[in-house]
Amino acid sequence: MRTQEQPEGTRSGAARVGVEQAEAALVEHYQRLVRLAYITLPPSLGRHRRVLAAHAAVQRALPASRGGGPDGPRVPVQRGASEDPGYVLVRQRVLATALAYGERPGWWPRQLPAPRTLRPALPTVFGLRVFPRSGGADELALEQALSGTTAAARAALVLHRVEGLGEQDTRTLLTAAGATDAGSAVRTALRLARMPAETGTDALLRSDEFDPCLVHTRPTDLIRRRQRIRFARCVGVAVTVLAVVLVVVDSGGSVPPAATGPFDPAVSARAADPGQLLRAPAGAWADTSRIDFTVWPARGARKDDSALLGRALKVWASPARTVRISATHGTATVPPAQPPRLLYAGDVDGAAVVLFADGDRVIRYAESTDGKGAPALDFARTDNADITTGAAVVIGRTDGNARFLLAPWVAESATRDLLSPDTPARPLDEGEDGVTAPVSSPAVPAGGAGCGSWPALQLRSSSKVAEKHAFLLTDLGDLSPVHLTYTPPPGGGVPARQPREATGSQALLSWAHTACSLAGVRGGGVRAVNNWEYARQQLPEKGGQASWFCTRADTWQGSGRVSVQLQLPAGEASRPAALVAQRQNTALCSRFGQNVLAGAKWKAGSGRWYLLAAGSREVREIDVTGGVRARKDGTTMAVRAGQASRAVMTARLADGDTLKALG
């Protein structure tokens, strides 16, 4: 064992300390020790890493030997010291660790962090940042002064002012802990102790600013953490890809040119095997309580074409960069983890099309029958699909037209123009495989002002699944057409907020005024749109009756977009209603938000301007402030107002709550 000369100021003897005694001292004085380590450690670590490093330094300070025998660790006994030898030993070991934290051996590359900073240590915190409470101006000034000194000087300040050691004892302890210039460190500490401050240096060092045992928390950089997780996953996938490629090359296997992208290890060989595809029996839909894509039978002239099905599955599992991929918002494009369900395989307008259902989504694969061009993959969400939202899927689009694959429970199919509510629906031809004749897609003129027509499917379900049920669907650019419904105005014993199918004359008339507004939600992953006529209002000066609509578009994700529109009595049946207000991501006009209030300016035939306001059935009083002041009982209000005047509208509900106007 190497011996060292006793530092000046120590006795010739030294006290032996057992591990149990050192552990008891560590637990009893844990806060003092962690504070010493925290202040001594480099401030460049940042408060989070410094807190954890301070705790780690203390928790690793126990000596390795057990018992207090002759081989136990020793600690020099200082003159006049009355401190517990166990505490003196642990403090010296903590100090030595903190002083050496950032040191590099001579052979260590300067480009790398110090060796001690690379050691794994406990405690470790994931997902949170910890830091002591921030202090005032005095604490900040002291922290800045400490950051400009050496670790030994910071330690000397704590030993002298907090631990209460004399100058000589401080130099002795620093030397024993490995400090190279203890005298200079003590002189610097004495200078820091004389810093001017309203609160003394001793009190500042004992404040919460320098107490790593009393910490606050906050989350880490969530975006960066997500990116790191994704990077780690990509690395894992890359390693798996390499292994799979080596196996494929070694076995002489091959994949189609369109299926040469990254391979997802979640895709098993069974999921990519055409022979394992799920197929529902032909008549399963007529004898089940679950009416959705799980009971669609496999249809199409190429449903048994293993080559086509195999290409579709392999391209889905590993699409090349040339594959055109589209997905409605919120729809996963990952390959299947288990065999998907086959819905259709056949040729449609010069393309070989395969349609799959995989859990809560529908996937369409299309490739040119002449072998030219890249294949395409389209994904759409279909979770909780039912007899209406699972009744049709777009199977192909060409020249501004769309063909639909209809559900097996659709007994009658027709098309109608929503802008012509008085024109009867026209029968729609349907092949034996369920594919319809081309249907015109809605077209909106440049600039989005109005529309010339708005085609919709009018379908009727078979009596085998329910009482004959007629409903409307319209194409908004996604794989799944959108279900259109209607809620009539209050009165006449109509239950509150009960949407119904939009096939009646009143419903068709309401959609004639609002159909063109559907262009604003095209391609947005919309599941259903409800047109709620929440109020009717008699206009002043015998202006006739106006209707207020709240049109709500619900997406497959659950979020909704609402728009309030005002239909004035004058004009043709297809005249678009005036947009009054709209809002994204809201529960308004749903069963979770059944109260609505909106207002608009209207010019009477006399040239006078009025402020119109209308609320839903629970509104008892409407109050207008600002540039216009008025109050009226009931669900509607009309008051004289200037064309440029601004008003703030609120309503009192039946339960006493206040409702703000949608704007």
Side-chain angles (χ1 to χ4, degrees):
M1 178 181 296
R2 187 179 62 181
T3 61
Q4 293 182 343
E5 182 180 353
Q6 281 189 335
E8 181 183 357
T10 65
R11 294 182 180 178
S12 59
R16 293 187 177 88
V17 179
V19 173
E20 290 79 4
Q21 183 180 1
E23 182 182 19
L26 186 150
V27 173
E28 180 181 358
H29 302 286
Y30 187 80
Q31 186 176 19
R32 292 170 59 186
L33 294 168
V34 175
R35 187 191 302 269
L36 171 63
Y38 178 79
I39 297 176
T40 304
L41 286 166
S44 59
L45 291 175
R47 293 194 294 174
H48 172 79
R49 289 182 59 196
R50 193 151 54 127
V51 167
L52 298 182
H55 284 274
V58 175
Q59 294 177 17
R60 288 204 299 256
L62 288 180
S65 302
R66 300 195 61 84
D71 295 330
R74 302 184 180 188
V75 58
V77 181
Q78 296 165 347
R79 296 187 184 96
S82 60
E83 292 180 303
D84 175 13
Y87 174 68
V88 174
L89 171 66
V90 174
R91 181 177 60 189
Q92 179 177 319
R93 294 174 65 90
V94 168
L95 188 58
T97 300
L99 289 173
Y101 189 84
E103 292 183 355
R104 293 179 173 85
W107 51 269
W108 189 261
R110 297 189 60 84
Q111 294 81 2
L112 296 179
R116 286 182 180 270
T117 65
L118 300 176
R119 291 178 56 186
L122 295 176
T124 302
V125 177
F126 295 100
L128 286 175
R129 308 290 294 180
V130 296
F131 52 94
R133 186 184 69 84
S134 298
D138 289 343
E139 287 87 345
L140 178 60
L142 179 58
E143 173 71 19
Q144 292 174 342
L146 290 174
S147 64
T149 62
T150 63
R154 294 191 295 271
L157 182 63
V158 179
L159 294 174
H160 181 52
R161 307 301 297 186
V162 179
E163 293 290 302
L165 299 183
E167 296 180 24
Q168 182 59 43
D169 290 339
T170 299
R171 283 193 293 269
T172 300
L173 181 52
L174 287 173
T175 302
T180 56
D181 192 354
S184 175
V186 171
R187 289 191 296 271
T188 302
L190 294 175
R191 186 173 64 254
L192 289 173
R194 293 192 293 269
M195 284 182 55
E198 294 184 6
T199 306
T201 304
D202 303 4
L204 293 177
L205 292 171
R206 293 186 175 92
S207 67
D208 294 345
E209 168 83 12
F210 301 100
D211 185 1
C213 291
L214 182 63
V215 296
H216 294 256
T217 62
R218 67 183 177 192
T220 57
D221 188 331
L222 301 179
I223 296 179
R224 181 176 297 178
R225 185 170 69 188
R226 184 184 303 170
Q227 292 172 343
R228 289 174 177 172
I229 293 175
R230 289 176 179 172
F231 176 76
R233 288 176 179 171
C234 290
V235 172
V237 170
V239 173
T240 306
V241 169
L242 180 60
V244 171
V245 170
L246 292 177
V247 171
V248 171
V249 172
D250 184 63
S251 61
S254 62
V255 295
T260 57
F263 182 79
D264 192 323
V267 183
S268 63
R270 181 169 173 266
D273 181 4
Q276 299 295 328
L277 287 171
L278 303 179
R279 301 172 186 244
W285 61 270
D287 188 23
T288 180
S289 60
R290 180 177 179 180
I291 305 298
D292 57 14
F293 290 103
T294 60
V295 294
W296 276 40
R299 290 175 287 177
R302 302 183 68 176
K303 64 182 179 181
D304 297 318
D305 188 339
S306 297
L308 172 62
L309 300 179
R311 288 196 302 274
L313 289 171
K314 288 178 180 178
V315 171
W316 180 9
S318 181
R321 292 184 177 180
T322 56
V323 176
R324 294 167 295 164
I325 299 177
S326 68
T328 57
H329 190 63
T331 307
T333 60
V334 296
Q338 56 188 4
R341 185 175 302 276
L342 177 64
L343 304 183
Y344 179 88
D347 294 339
V348 180
D349 295 330
V353 178
V354 182
L355 198 66
F356 300 107
D358 180 46
D360 59 358
R361 56 185 178 156
V362 165
I363 301 90
R364 181 183 62 189
Y365 168 83
E367 64 178 30
S368 175
T369 53
D370 59 9
K372 298 180 180 179
L377 281 171
D378 301 296
F379 298 82
R381 284 184 63 167
T382 57
D383 40 321
N384 298 318
D386 54 24
I387 193 172
T388 56
T389 54
V393 174
V394 175
I395 199 72
R397 299 183 190 275
T398 54
D399 302 327
N401 299 320
R403 291 183 186 266
F404 298 87
L405 178 65
L406 301 182
W409 58 79
V410 174
E412 300 176 18
S413 58
T415 62
R416 70 178 313 129
D417 183 2
L418 292 180
L419 302 190
S420 301
D422 297 329
T423 302
R426 299 187 303 272
L428 176 63
D429 293 335
E430 176 187 351
E432 294 182 359
D433 57 1
V435 177
T436 69
V439 178
S440 298
S441 299
V444 179
C451 53
S453 65
W454 200 279
L457 297 179
Q458 182 168 308
L459 307 180
R460 186 179 297 275
S461 62
S462 170
S463 58
K464 294 182 180 180
V465 294
E467 188 175 334
K468 283 194 174 183
H469 182 70
F471 52 94
L472 292 183
L473 302 177
T474 190
D475 179 20
L476 291 185
D478 296 322
L479 279 184
S480 299
V482 176
H483 182 208
L484 302 180
T485 57
Y486 168 72
T487 301
V494 178
R497 295 292 301 116
Q498 184 175 342
R500 56 187 63 183
E501 298 303 339
T503 51
S505 58
Q506 189 176 357
L508 291 173
L509 184 60
S510 77
W511 272 112
H513 296 307
T514 56
C516 292
S517 66
L518 293 172
V521 294
R522 178 178 287 177
V526 177
R527 172 194 179 101
V529 183
N530 181 58
N531 219 19
W532 175 25
E533 190 175 356
Y534 72 87
R536 288 179 177 175
Q537 181 177 18
Q538 291 295 330
L539 299 178
E541 301 187 16
K542 299 180 180 181
Q545 187 181 66
S547 294
W548 293 80
F549 295 98
C550 185
T551 305
R552 177 178 177 85
D554 283 302
T555 66
W556 289 97
Q557 284 189 301
S559 59
R561 168 181 170 174
V562 301
S563 60
V564 173
Q565 302 175 75
L566 173 61
Q567 177 58 46
L568 299 173
E572 302 175 355
S574 60
R575 179 182 177 181
L579 179 63
V580 173
Q582 58 185 353
R583 183 176 296 176
Q584 298 270 13
N585 301 323
T586 178
L588 284 174
C589 303
S590 72
R591 61 193 180 99
F592 301 108
Q594 300 187 14
N595 299 312
V596 62
L597 173 69
K601 295 289 183 60
W602 172 72
K603 185 179 181 180
S606 64
R608 300 186 184 95
W609 283 90
Y610 288 83
L611 173 65
L612 306 180
S616 50
R617 71 172 69 204
E618 293 298 314
V619 169
R620 295 294 179 265
E621 180 186 77
I622 299 177
D623 187 20
V624 181
T625 58
V628 180
R629 292 187 173 274
R631 178 176 296 176
K632 183 179 181 297
D633 292 338
T635 59
T636 62
M637 169 189 283
V639 59
R640 287 281 303 275
Q643 180 180 0
S645 60
R646 304 179 67 114
V648 178
M649 290 173 289
T650 58
R652 179 176 57 83
L653 301 177
D655 59 5
D657 286 347
T658 299
L659 176 66
K660 294 182 179 180
L662 183 65

